[in-house]
Amino acid sequence: MSALDLTARDLASAVRRGEVTPAAVAADTLARAAERNPAINAICHMNPEFEAEAERVTQRLAAGEDPPLAGVPVLIKDNIWVKGLRVSQGSRLFADHIAPEDADSVRRLRNAGAMILGIATCSEFACKGATNSPHHGITRNPVDLTLGPGGSSGGSVAAVAAGIVPLALGTDAGGSSRRPPAHTGLCGMKPTYDLIPYGPSFPEPVWGISVICPIARDMGDIALAMEVMAGVRAETPAMLHIAASPDFGTGQVVEPDVAQNFATVIAAFAKAGITVRPAEIDWGGIMGHDILPLQFAGLAQAYGDVWRDTPEIFDPMIAKQIETGLSLSGVDVARAHQTSYKMRMVLRAALDRYGIIATPTTPCPAWPADLSAPETIAGKPAGPRDHAAFTPQVNHAGVPALSLPCGTDRNGLPLGLQLIAPAGEDGALIGAALALEPLLKDIA
């Protein structure tokens, strides 16, 4: 078995014990990337200093250091700065952009001994729920190459799911590091807003919602990454209480297999002695996509002038968002801000009542890679953001959430369970997920 098949924490332990060298891990990683990446298009730029990073880890170990991620190869999403590397936000507009410095999250990973393999593909400006763009092309799902991994952190999850790296960073402004893990059988965590410093990085279309997220094969590696990047430690729960909602109170239809899987998961929790009760959430008629005018206006403010001159350089779907943003009135944007505030208040109040809330991560499994969204959900025509019905509310509330793999649909496609906790309760959320994870292993 390759060291790359180990968890990040076991790989780091093997490196620290001298059972495998950082140079050997680097060589194995480069070989795997060369073999597996062409089929999935998860990596858009390799780090030419990757082997030099392995040598620096070797020198640190020889000097007596004991870094927790020693020799662990990591990929970084294409909107997070890595000093000296080409980071483009998936956009031809930034095709030649070289990051001038590391984002704080990257610096913390490096300080912990991680080695940066390169940059993972994402959709343009990380503003689409699929990972395909004119700049990077189509990223494919290792579970089924005809399907996509979702987005916008599709490259990060595809690389982890393909076994190229055990750990990757994504970002999440509306579910981008929860839904893609759900579509690929992985774990992804969205921390409390600003728990991990977001920059230095590019300007955001919507400030105050996007966060840096670890993506891994299991919760133990998520816990280690959160300890390294945020100083958060898992809190072992004395007793677990879960409030469950199969549609997050939105009325969104879900695929029958998703509904059945969620019911099976909740029944397994109850059978294991976990207190489970229904979560009743009244959104007052607002839906997750009702805040999209903020994104459209933000993109128009940032890139509207370029779009007017050279609309052809943009992803057509992003160009449409910019065009829509330019047509919005101040009243339209103010209304979306009010909706964002209402989302925050409703969800925070529900979390105050219930503690941890469980929902499906998505109402559907992965869809064809060349589509930006599924055409139907549960046999009904789907809107462009219906697949994201249960995730953006979390961002606008600023609270932590994560996705755990919880079985598959009848076609063997992965499904995810979303757990949401009150703001600042990241350690408790990780502890709950670690306790629940074993109960999900045998769910089909």
Side-chain angles (χ1 to χ4, degrees):
M1 182 178 74
S2 166
L4 294 179
D5 296 320
L6 299 172
T7 64
R9 56 196 185 280
D10 287 344
L11 172 55
S13 294
V15 169
R16 292 196 303 269
R17 290 193 302 267
E19 296 171 4
V20 62
T21 67
V25 174
D28 198 3
T29 305
L30 290 171
R32 278 219 178 165
E35 175 193 1
R36 300 181 183 184
N37 187 60
I40 58 175
N41 188 30
I43 307 170
C44 57
H45 185 63
M46 297 291 287
N47 178 9
E49 297 293 314
F50 184 55
E51 291 170 304
E53 291 201 18
E55 177 57 30
R56 286 191 286 273
V57 174
T58 299
Q59 293 170 0
R60 291 175 61 184
L61 293 168
E65 293 188 40
D66 191 34
L69 286 173
V72 174
V74 177
L75 269 174
I76 309 297
K77 186 177 175 179
D78 189 32
N79 62 342
I80 303 171
W81 283 4
V82 179
K83 184 177 181 179
L85 296 192
R86 196 177 304 277
V87 182
S88 68
Q89 302 185 93
S91 175
R92 292 185 287 194
L93 184 61
F94 290 90
D96 297 322
H97 175 265
I98 303 298
E101 57 186 312
D102 282 341
D104 282 349
S105 55
V106 173
R107 177 178 53 80
R108 293 175 186 188
L109 289 176
R110 279 186 162 141
N111 286 345
M115 311 183 305
I116 309 302
L117 174 63
I119 304 301
T121 53
C122 75
S123 53
E124 189 164 36
F125 307 129
C127 284
K128 192 167 77 170
T131 304
N132 51 55
S133 72
H135 185 41
H136 286 152
I138 295 174
T139 297
R140 297 186 179 275
N141 191 327
V143 177
D144 181 336
L145 295 179
T146 69
L147 307 177
S152 59
S153 301
S156 297
V157 301
V160 175
I164 297 172
V165 292
L167 181 67
L169 285 193
T171 61
D172 190 320
S176 291
S177 287
R178 284 166 284 153
R179 296 191 313 273
H183 294 317
T184 52
L186 302 177
C187 299
M189 179 166 181
K190 175 225 169 290
T192 294
Y193 177 72
D194 223 17
L195 181 64
I196 301 171
Y198 193 76
S201 190
F202 299 100
E204 278 290 302
V206 185
W207 290 106
I209 62 170
S210 193
V211 295
I212 302 289
C213 305
I215 294 162
R217 292 191 288 258
D218 70 6
M219 277 306 305
D221 282 354
I222 296 289
L224 177 56
M226 286 297 294
E227 186 171 349
V228 164
M229 291 191 293
V232 169
R233 293 186 176 226
E235 300 171 15
T236 304
M239 185 176 296
L240 269 175
H241 300 266
I242 301 291
S245 177
D247 68 354
F248 205 18
T250 64
Q252 169 67 46
V253 298
V254 302
E255 288 287 349
D257 286 2
V258 173
Q260 180 58 57
N261 172 266
F262 186 73
T264 300
V265 165
I266 297 306
F269 289 170
K271 184 178 180 181
I274 296 164
T275 301
V276 180
R277 57 176 168 159
E280 297 180 3
I281 306 171
D282 182 2
W283 295 102
I286 61 175
M287 297 288 284
H289 59 256
D290 289 341
I291 40 73
L292 282 175
L294 296 178
Q295 178 172 299
F296 301 160
L299 288 171
Q301 182 274 324
Y303 307 114
D305 290 343
V306 180
W307 173 81
R308 289 188 180 98
D309 294 337
T310 55
E312 69 279 359
I313 73 169
F314 295 97
D315 180 323
M317 189 171 182
I318 301 303
K320 181 64 176 177
Q321 292 187 35
I322 295 171
E323 183 180 15
T324 301
L326 290 169
S327 72
L328 295 171
S329 69
V331 172
D332 294 329
V333 176
R335 184 179 297 113
H337 274 295
Q338 291 291 339
T339 299
S340 172
Y341 177 76
K342 289 176 184 176
M343 279 185 181
R344 179 185 180 92
M345 293 299 102
V346 169
L347 183 51
R348 287 200 168 204
L351 290 165
D352 285 344
R353 291 195 305 274
Y354 297 122
I356 293 176
I357 295 175
T359 76
T361 307
T362 69
C364 59
W367 58 88
D370 58 343
L371 298 180
S372 292
E375 295 177 324
T376 63
I377 296 177
K380 298 181 179 180
R385 294 295 291 176
D386 283 358
H387 66 94
F390 308 146
T391 52
Q393 300 90 336
V394 173
N395 297 80
H396 287 262
V399 300
L402 55 81
S403 182
L404 286 168
C406 62
T408 62
D409 72 356
R410 69 189 66 192
N411 297 313
L413 298 179
L415 302 175
L417 174 73
Q418 179 174 231
L419 301 177
I420 311 165
E425 296 294 325
D426 298 68
L429 179 60
I430 294 168
L434 286 167
L436 296 173
E437 189 176 37
L439 302 177
L440 302 174
K441 296 294 186 184
D442 296 327
I443 293 178

